[in-house]
Amino acid sequence: MATESATMTAENLVPTPSLPSLLREDIRCVFGRDPAARTTWEVLTTYPGVHALITYRIAHALWLRNWRYLARLTSFIGRVLTNVDIHPGARIGRRFFIDHGAGVVVGETAEIGDDVTLYHGVTLGGTTWNPGKRHPTLGDHVVVGAGAKILGAITIGSRVRVGANSVVVKNVPSDRTVVGIPAKVVRREGPILSPTDELNLDHHLMPDPVGHTLNCLLDRIKSLESQISGLQANAEAPPPKKPRTTIPVVAVSNIDCEANTDQACPECACQPENELTSETR
């Protein structure tokens, strides 16, 4: 009991950031993740991802005060203006950034940690109509590529990178890179944080498991084709010539056909006289 009370006291001592401070952090983090951002005024007036996040922050504050319809109406207005649909019931951490905000969907029970970056076309959706937790949970420093779908009440660990157009339907541990449909872990080392604690957005360094598999298959096909060509060449080659054998010449003595002996010449079928005499009789 003492431990629980101490923990609760420690948690209560941590001040909850105010809405203006959250919005200031959201705007400042844009300059660290988008080289095209030049001035604060430009970010405030031309970035739909920032507009969607400002609308969400206001709608979420209304949602926590049980002003549910007003929260949904505010969220709907933000969706019409920005083409980004964030449910006011979702929980989003600090310094959240949607790059090229368009077509992003965040469900009601989704939870997003701090310093998370989503690109356009990302969906944090559910896979069931049952009430309760049905949307994914993202840890800190997660980067989700364009068009990726993270579906179901799954957990994406911290510092995970999700490749563009991937479909994630299973839990992903921390410090992993996943790509594909369904997404597979393709890298287990090399977190996306650089030594300066800045997000590493080098998407071109992601491995391509499908391309690697195809290259292995092509190499195997070439090897098999070379083996088959060798077998065909051996089959079409003329048979080797047999060595000429020399038959020894045996000297044949002159045989007297009229000798009437067993050694009579077989060419004229000479028979001994006694056998001829018996047959004649």
Side-chain angles (χ1 to χ4, degrees), residues 18 53 96 108 175 193:
S18 62
L53 191 55
F96 178 64
E108 177 186 6
D175 298 309
L193 288 180

Side-chain angles (χ1 to χ4, degrees), residues 71-228:
R72 291 301 301 269
L73 181 61
T74 303
S75 177
F76 173 75
I77 295 173
R79 176 183 179 181
V80 172
L81 296 177
T82 64
N83 195 25
V84 175
D85 186 5
I86 304 178
H87 195 283
R91 298 181 181 181
I92 298 179
R94 305 168 68 173
R95 297 174 296 278
F96 178 64
F97 178 51
I98 302 176
D99 198 1
H100 300 284
V104 174
V105 177
V106 179
E108 177 186 6
T109 60
E111 300 179 32
I112 301 175
D114 298 334
D115 301 291
V116 173
T117 301
L118 305 183
Y119 283 83
H120 54 280
V122 171
T123 298
L124 306 182
T127 56
T128 178
W129 291 343
N130 298 326
K133 177 65 173 175
R134 58 190 185 277
H135 297 95
T137 298
L138 276 60
D140 299 335
H141 302 285
V142 174
V143 176
V144 184
K149 316 299 178 186
I150 305 177
L151 306 176
I154 60 177
T155 300
I156 308 300
S158 299
R159 298 172 299 280
V160 168
R161 180 187 297 180
V162 180
N165 292 320
S166 300
V167 178
V168 186
V169 294
K170 294 182 180 180
N171 296 334
V172 180
S174 300
D175 298 309
R176 300 291 192 274
T177 298
V178 294
V179 297
I181 303 174
K184 303 290 185 182
V185 176
V186 295
R187 180 176 295 174
R188 301 176 183 272
E189 66 278 347
I192 62 175
L193 288 180
S194 65
T196 58
D197 291 335
E198 294 293 336
L199 284 173
N200 176 10
L201 301 180
D202 294 331
H203 295 286
H204 65 284
L205 299 179
M206 286 187 177
D208 183 6
V210 177
H212 177 70
T213 302
L214 292 177
N215 290 333
C216 292
L217 291 175
L218 291 175
D219 293 340
R220 181 60 177 167
I221 290 173
K222 291 179 181 178
S223 176
L224 293 175
E225 287 180 346
S226 63
Q227 295 179 20
I228 293 174

